[in-house]
Amino acid sequence: MNIALGQLSIVWEDKEANFEKAEICLKALESQGTELFLLPEMSMTGFSMRTERTKESGRETVERMSRLARRYGIAVGTGWVKDAGETCENHYTIVTPDGELLDYAKLHPFSYSGEDRRFRGGGRLPACRYGNFSIGVQICYDLRFPEPFQRLSRSADLIVVPANWPAARREDWMCLLRARAIETQSYVAGINCVGVMDGQEYAGDSGLFAAGGKPCEGEVLYPFGENKGEQLLLFSVKNDVHTIREGFPVKKDRRERLYAGWYG
């Protein structure tokens, strides 16, 4: 599959500017044979707590990205904020030219930043089939919790991790992405933003890790030029997860009932 990661400098709380930027990316990717384009968490607003400005009851972001997916013939993963009544949910949705494939709500609101006061956690681990991969999603802070990754890897062989991960903790980000690929024997794609939003710096460090944890080699495009950290990262990968798991069968030694008892 030909996968593109959009390491973008998100324009703070400006959906129109970010929709325009996403379309510029899709235009650049159309000639590259791209099949799946993945954006960071809260793709059109950045990680804002001002849900009165970001929340959507009509799924505006999903609908607009669906139209762009049809226009350019590329599946798109996009983040948005769902109005859930008294609180909101941090969502990530994958749409294709033929329709929506997956919608995931972040399991773990980041209480350290106060996200839990504005957002409630989701309760599902959906996976979808696209091309030759089964795909699941975990969002940003979810990366610090290995259990859902293991559960998700029962059905998914590519786990997408969109994020707004601060530069101050960039070493954690890079280490955990690789660790989750090693632990689950799955491909793991980390898509982070870059630049400064609301006083917070983001370093990017986006990448794709193979099922054994090795970083995948890809091509870098610079579609804008204003910010050298803003990149489109292109990868062409085959699904060899089954072969890797068969060749080094770690999963058969897992003791799921014992682990479940510890949490019971």
Side-chain angles (χ1 to χ4, degrees):
M1 181 186 291
N2 295 326
I3 302 172
L5 311 183
Q7 181 171 287
L8 303 184
S9 177
I10 300 172
V11 184
W12 181 248
E13 295 181 346
D14 190 336
K15 291 183 182 180
E16 285 302 320
N18 291 306
F19 281 128
E20 291 176 10
K21 186 172 286 194
E23 184 164 11
I24 291 171
C25 291
L26 286 164
K27 286 180 180 178
L29 294 170
E30 187 178 21
S31 62
Q32 302 292 324
T34 303
E35 297 167 81
L36 177 62
F37 175 45
L38 300 170
L39 289 159
E41 175 188 22
M42 294 192 189
S43 313
M44 302 302 151
T45 62
F47 186 71
S48 171
M49 296 295 180
R50 291 181 281 204
T51 53
E52 69 278 5
R53 300 186 182 187
T54 63
K55 66 183 178 182
E56 301 176 10
S57 56
R59 307 179 96 237
E60 171 195 0
T61 294
V62 174
E63 291 180 3
R64 292 188 64 167
M65 296 311 294
S66 295
R67 291 196 292 271
L68 290 178
R70 290 192 294 271
R71 183 177 303 165
Y72 295 100
I74 300 171
V76 181
T78 188
W80 58 289
V81 175
K82 180 180 179 179
D83 185 349
E86 293 183 3
T87 57
C88 292
E89 293 176 343
N90 184 343
H91 276 246
Y92 197 83
T93 305
I94 296 177
V95 296
T96 77
D98 298 319
E100 182 177 318
L101 282 186
L102 176 149
D103 181 57
Y104 167 75
K106 185 177 182 180
L107 295 183
H108 305 95
F110 186 35
S111 60
Y112 180 77
S113 70
E115 185 180 7
D116 60 322
R117 295 194 295 270
R118 295 284 185 156
F119 294 84
R120 69 185 186 191
R124 296 177 57 248
L125 287 171
C128 66
R129 191 80 192 177
Y130 189 66
N132 60 344
F133 279 92
S134 178
I135 305 171
V137 176
Q138 293 283 274
I139 298 176
C140 200
Y141 187 51
D142 287 339
L143 183 60
R144 292 188 178 273
F145 302 88
E147 294 91 342
F149 279 82
Q150 284 291 351
R151 180 61 62 90
L152 193 54
S153 70
R154 294 178 182 178
S155 54
D157 35 46
L158 167 62
I159 301 176
V160 174
V161 187
N164 280 197
W165 194 285
R169 292 182 287 277
R170 63 186 304 191
E171 295 298 329
D172 296 12
W173 163 255
M174 292 183 287
C175 178
L176 290 169
L177 287 172
R178 188 170 187 178
R180 298 294 168 260
I182 294 169
E183 292 168 352
T184 64
Q185 295 182 301
S186 306
Y187 279 82
V188 173
I191 313 98
N192 195 22
C193 56
V194 69
V196 177
M197 287 185 288
D198 197 36
Q200 183 73 260
E201 182 183 358
Y202 300 90
D205 300 312
S206 303
L208 178 65
F209 292 85
K214 182 179 179 181
C216 297
E217 294 185 4
E219 179 184 356
V220 178
L221 296 182
Y222 297 86
F224 307 110
E226 297 176 4
N227 186 335
K228 67 178 181 180
E230 197 166 35
Q231 304 170 349
L232 293 177
L233 305 166
L234 312 183
F235 300 91
S236 182
V237 293
K238 294 181 179 179
N239 189 347
D240 56 0
V241 169
H242 179 75
T243 300
I244 290 171
R245 291 179 180 177
E246 286 289 314
F248 190 48
V250 176
K251 283 185 173 291
K252 76 179 184 65
D253 293 327
R254 289 184 56 78
R255 301 178 64 185
E256 299 288 353
R257 289 185 180 178
L258 176 63
Y259 308 154
W262 287 343
Y263 291 99

